[in-house]
Amino acid sequence: MSDQSRVFVWTMLLSTLCHPIQTFLLSGGDVCFGICNCVEEQLAYNYIDETEVKLVRCEERDLRSIPNFAIQNLPTAFYPGGNNFTVDLHSNYIQSVPDKAFGDLPKLSNVDFFGIILTNNSISSVSDSAFLGLENTKVILDLSFNNLTTIPQALRILRNIEVLEIEENPIMTLDASMIQHISPLYQFSFSLTLYNSWPVELNNLHVKYVRYNDYSGNSFQNFDIHGIGQRGIELNIGGTDIVDLSDVICNNQINVSKLWLWGNSNLDMRPFERCSQGTVMQNILELELSSFNLERIRNFVHTLNKLELLNFVVNNITELNANDFRGLTKLKVLILDYNRITTIHIHAFDTNTKLRKLYLTGNMLTHIPDSVVNLNIELLIMNAIDCTCSSLQNLKQVNATFADSIPCLGNMQFVKYALAACP
Ligand SMILES: *[C@@H]1O[C@H](CO)[C@@H](O)[C@H](O)[C@H]1NC(C)=O
Ligand SMILES: *[C@@H]1O[C@H](CO)[C@@H](O)[C@H](O)[C@H]1NC(C)=O
Ligand SMILES: *[C@@H]1O[C@H](CO)[C@@H](O)[C@H](O)[C@H]1NC(C)=O
Ligand SMILES: *[C@@H]1O[C@H](CO)[C@@H](O)[C@H](O)[C@H]1NC(C)=O
Ligand SMILES: *[C@@H]1O[C@H](CO)[C@@H](O)[C@H](O)[C@H]1NC(C)=O
Ligand SMILES: *[C@@H]1O[C@H](CO)[C@@H](O)[C@H](O)[C@H]1NC(C)=O
């Protein structure tokens, strides 16, 4: 995922319900299956790059059950071929997924993936034969925001699940062999709402990217999930009461390449300091600590010398000091939106020679800081600044393209034009 889409996804997470699909309508599309529309669209589904799919759109149709996807009702122009295929049924009132729910559609599709989007329904039962026909197809399955109490047995016939979103279901039974069956997965999301200790069944997971929400426990004792092959896990933990992450970041050999922690306001920072020299912390490439109450960049941060991306959005940081990022020579992206930054030390970024993108929206800065001007930066995002010529003076000596689209306080102008008008 690019860092910009990370920011986007992150912003989505801030709102109560994260909806992981973004679709961009290309063509109106025919009515099909009575109440749906068959369209071709560019679709981005998190880890999958934006790609053209044949999409059966049946979302928000007040459906109580899944329509009859009889193949004879498919517009002929829409026969799959070459394109990926997705059936979108999100935000209906569907309660169960019957046998062969997708009819013969799976048979038609000699496609790279078949997506089934059922998020935000009331599903509490899935027939064991619901996904018949998709045994050997790569499947993306979004069952998040439903009413399942366990991972459906129906998944056992699928040999190639790439994505399983099942967060926000009242799941209280987990079966280690099911977790083993669905692995490896590119993407998995799960709410730990009904668990107050780490469910060891999940240690059978092999995954690239995993998101855990709403954990009711306060430690991750016995946590031991795995990446795919030698790859590090991308681990996203949010909206929980966890206090102690030491079982994730200390004392073990798991490879975490990206660690995103958000909205865990009670998190104990001491293990981060204590274990910053350990295997886990030293291998982290991307770190997010957002919506805590951080008042300064903690000391351990500058020792994580593989870091490429650092995200501290929505904290309470007021100052960036000379040593906060010292030694982060691989850092490319720094995201500090929505803090209360007023001061950035002139030498704050001296060693961050690879820094290219800096996000400073929602702070209390009225100038482009001198420490930023001499960086070889490509993108700087911040709120309107003072565009009087004396204030822009530090930009005159450098190639200030990065500042072009920053708005000016008090008028509709951008820095680019204000700067051009200065002597
Ligand atoms: C299907 O989607 C995958 C993942 O984005 C993409 O690599 C592939 O090219 C797509 N296939 C077709 C036929 O468009
Ligand atoms: C979930 O679906 C219902 C019914 O369509 C809709 O009213 C509601 O807005 C949806 N919720 C979200 C968060 O999309
Ligand atoms: C979820 O299932 C429970 C128990 O079967 C039921 O009482 C409840 O109404 C269901 N909730 C929704 C939103 O369908
Ligand atoms: C850990 O994961 C990273 C990123 O996926 C990989 O480059 C590295 O080789 C892995 N390290 C180990 C010790 O497996
Ligand atoms: C930030 O710090 C100020 C002053 O210390 C405090 O009043 C405020 O509640 C804090 N804000 C958040 C979001 O923690
Ligand atoms: C100025 O910076 C931009 C963006 O980094 C770059 O594309 C452009 O070539 C630079 N222009 C000059 C004159 O160096």
Side-chain angles (χ1 to χ4, degrees), residues 16-19 59-63 90-93 119-121 145:
T16 47
L17 194 147
C18 158
H19 205 277
E59 81 281 11
E60 296 176 27
R61 304 291 200 277
D62 283 336
L63 294 171
H90 81 259
S91 297
N92 284 294
Y93 301 93
T119 183
N120 189 31
N121 279 280
F145 293 88

Side-chain angles (χ1 to χ4, degrees), residues 93 116 207 228 275-276 391:
Y93 301 93
I116 300 171
V207 71
I228 301 176
C275 303
S276 64
S391 198

Side-chain angles (χ1 to χ4, degrees), residues 299-347:
N299 242 332
F300 72 88
V301 170
H302 84 272
T303 71
L304 310 181
N305 50 41
K306 286 194 185 159
L307 276 184
E308 294 173 4
L309 183 149
L310 199 48
N311 183 345
F312 286 110
V313 295
V314 195
N315 279 295
N316 218 350
I317 300 163
T318 51
E319 238 179 280
L320 300 181
N321 299 309
N323 291 322
D324 284 351
F325 309 111
R326 182 164 310 282
L328 300 182
T329 53
K330 305 218 162 111
L331 191 66
K332 290 185 204 144
V333 183
L334 180 58
I335 310 174
L336 293 163
D337 299 323
Y338 303 103
N339 278 279
R340 299 192 303 147
I341 300 169
T342 52
T343 322
I344 301 183
H345 193 281
I346 176 85
H347 296 303

Side-chain angles (χ1 to χ4, degrees), residues 82-154:
N83 284 58
N84 291 314
F85 203 94
T86 287
V87 180
D88 185 357
L89 287 154
H90 81 259
S91 297
N92 284 294
Y93 301 93
I94 297 164
Q95 295 183 352
S96 63
V97 186
D99 279 354
K100 283 194 80 179
F102 301 95
D104 292 326
L105 294 182
K107 273 197 209 140
L108 282 175
S109 46
N110 186 13
V111 292
D112 289 327
F113 73 76
F114 194 96
I116 300 171
I117 313 299
L118 283 161
T119 183
N120 189 31
N121 279 280
S122 306
I123 297 168
S124 57
S125 81
V126 180
S127 154
D128 289 354
S129 313
F131 305 123
L132 223 53
L134 289 165
E135 291 85 334
N136 297 311
T137 308
K138 286 183 189 167
V139 173
I140 289 171
L141 182 57
D142 188 349
L143 286 166
S144 59
F145 293 88
N146 275 291
N147 205 2
L148 295 165
T149 56
T150 186
I151 298 180
Q153 291 297 322

